[in-house]
Amino acid sequence: MTTTTITAAVDCDLHVAPPSFNKVLPYLDSYWKSYIDDSTVGLSHPAYPLGAATTGGAPAGSYDQLAPVLNAANPHRAILNCLALDGVHRNPYYAAAMATAVNDWVRDEFLVRDERLRASIAVSTLDIPAAVKEVERLAGDGRFAQILLPVRADVPYGNRLYHPLYAVAQEHGFPIALHAWGRGGKAPSMPGVTATYLEDYASNAHIAQVQMMSFVAEGVFSKFPQLKVVFMECGFSWLPPQLWRFDKDWKGVWREVPWVKERPSEYVRRHMRFTTEPAQLPRDPRQIAQLVEMVGPELLMYASDYPHDHGDGFERLLAALSDEDAESVLRGTAAAFYGDLIA
């Protein structure tokens, strides 16, 4: 059982969000201000229904609201994720303008006030050239640590549509961070749209599996050998059976993907990491230890997922780790994965 503490960890996922349009309006030009005034467009479509057990409250809307959380946990670094660029909006120009506004709001409200903080660069998946420009605009800032995309997308992320974004990500050393939720109008399952929040919530893990395979099977890592990808709030307990099946099927149909030169699991272990919340684990500590051994603790990075409450899964995970593995999950893996971006 570990004796390692969470203090001074690298927290890879804290949620913040503008509490209202008024907070981001100063970062928009007059056209978009009038567009908002004249339309019924919203700032965000909530992924978590009000009162859901996993909600845990609203994301921090100001540094003053976040500061007590930071001071209590005292992380070495914490990466802020603003999901206000929800996938409901279909206007690519609006989405690109909002990405810039959200990023500037996060910088001015949080990053300038606490050296422990880093943030993800929010970009629009509806306009990849605009997303590339946004990354290039912020690349020299030094306080942004990755590029944020919703795990749900119009097209799987291995598609060449996204390759210009991966090129600029690799150039600047930014990982691609796929976070749960996203394109609101997309069915989370192949048969179609789900009927309940329970189904929709559980489907994030299924979508993550599809995206993981897409990156490998469509040759993203062969074209961008330095690219890194992190899955956030999508779980990780599904990895062992999925990777076993991925490797097995590749052996039979490898001719279809000649650019995949080694077992798919090797690409995943080299290029991908997964955050610890939600830690969807069995109750038996022995089974937890077996699962962690199959996944590999070196693939896991700590995330509080503030303010969302996923129960005691992470505490039970931590209790099953050796001190060395706990140190890796809490600090070491993220330090190596992000490098100078969080140094």
Side-chain angles (χ1 to χ4, degrees):
M1 181 178 294
T2 182
T3 58
T4 304
T5 63
I6 296 179
T7 303
V10 176
D11 190 340
C12 295
D13 186 20
L14 280 81
H15 291 252
V16 298
S20 71
F21 259 133
N22 291 334
K23 297 298 182 181
V24 295
L25 285 178
Y27 302 101
L28 294 168
D29 64 27
S30 58
Y31 172 82
W32 291 115
K33 290 178 182 178
S34 64
Y35 176 86
I36 292 167
D37 288 340
D38 295 340
S39 70
T40 58
V41 66
L43 180 62
S44 176
H45 177 79
Y48 290 83
L50 295 176
T54 50
T55 302
S62 69
Y63 177 75
D64 290 339
Q65 182 182 353
L66 184 64
V69 177
L70 290 171
N71 293 335
N74 194 25
H76 170 66
R77 290 285 184 266
I79 300 176
L80 305 180
N81 289 310
C82 182
L83 304 180
L85 266 187
D86 179 89
V88 169
H89 305 301
R90 302 302 308 187
N91 184 325
Y93 306 104
Y94 171 80
M98 284 300 299
T100 297
V102 163
N103 291 328
D104 288 348
W105 173 78
V106 170
R107 179 198 61 209
D108 292 350
E109 179 63 36
F110 297 96
L111 301 184
V112 300
R113 300 181 64 180
D114 197 319
E115 64 180 10
R116 294 172 295 184
L117 297 178
R118 299 292 185 269
S120 297
I121 301 174
V123 298
S124 168
T125 58
L126 299 176
D127 187 339
I128 297 305
V132 169
K133 289 179 63 176
E134 183 65 5
V135 173
E136 291 175 334
R137 184 179 76 92
L138 297 173
D141 183 283
R143 292 169 295 187
F144 290 88
Q146 59 194 5
I147 300 168
L148 182 63
L149 300 176
V151 75
R152 305 176 188 218
D154 289 329
V155 179
Y157 282 125
N159 191 280
R160 66 182 66 187
L161 166 71
Y162 302 103
H163 286 194
L165 184 60
Y166 303 154
V168 74
Q170 178 173 265
E171 177 185 353
H172 295 288
F174 286 127
I176 298 294
L178 302 188
H179 197 286
W181 309 105
R183 181 65 61 211
K186 286 294 176 181
S189 65
M190 293 299 291
V193 177
T194 55
T196 68
Y197 171 67
L198 169 61
E199 298 167 271
D200 195 64
Y201 179 76
S203 293
N204 283 309
H206 307 156
I207 300 166
Q209 294 174 47
V210 172
Q211 300 292 18
M212 178 199 72
M213 292 189 293
S214 180
F215 272 101
V216 175
E218 297 202 46
V220 171
F221 300 123
S222 297
K223 186 173 181 179
F224 305 103
Q226 305 305 316
L227 188 67
K228 302 174 183 179
V229 176
V230 56
F231 286 85
M232 297 186 163
E233 206 177 326
C234 294
F236 58 86
S237 57
W238 47 265
L239 268 167
Q242 185 69 19
L243 291 181
W244 178 85
R245 182 62 183 266
F246 203 8
D247 284 351
K248 177 181 179 296
D249 290 349
W250 168 77
K251 293 176 183 178
V253 296
W254 63 267
R255 289 176 181 83
E256 187 182 14
V257 288
W259 43 82
V260 181
K261 302 293 186 181
E262 53 190 315
R263 290 183 301 172
S265 62
E266 296 299 320
Y267 289 97
V268 171
R269 295 190 177 279
R270 186 163 58 246
H271 294 273
M272 295 183 175
R273 298 294 181 266
F274 303 81
T275 60
T276 55
E277 290 287 9
Q280 298 149 333
L281 301 173
R283 301 303 304 182
D284 189 333
R286 294 171 300 177
Q287 293 178 337
I288 295 176
Q290 292 169 346
L291 174 62
V292 172
E293 182 180 2
M294 288 188 289
V295 171
E298 70 279 1
L299 294 190
L300 303 179
M301 301 192 303
Y302 169 65
S304 67
D305 195 27
Y306 167 84
H308 303 145
D309 182 4
H310 299 285
D312 65 351
F314 178 70
E315 286 73 18
R316 292 188 291 114
L317 170 66
L318 199 63
L321 298 174
S322 66
D323 282 348
E324 181 180 1
D325 287 342
E327 180 69 22
S328 176
V329 171
L330 288 168
R331 288 173 275 272
T333 299
F337 188 75
Y338 290 104
D340 290 343
L341 294 168
I342 65 167

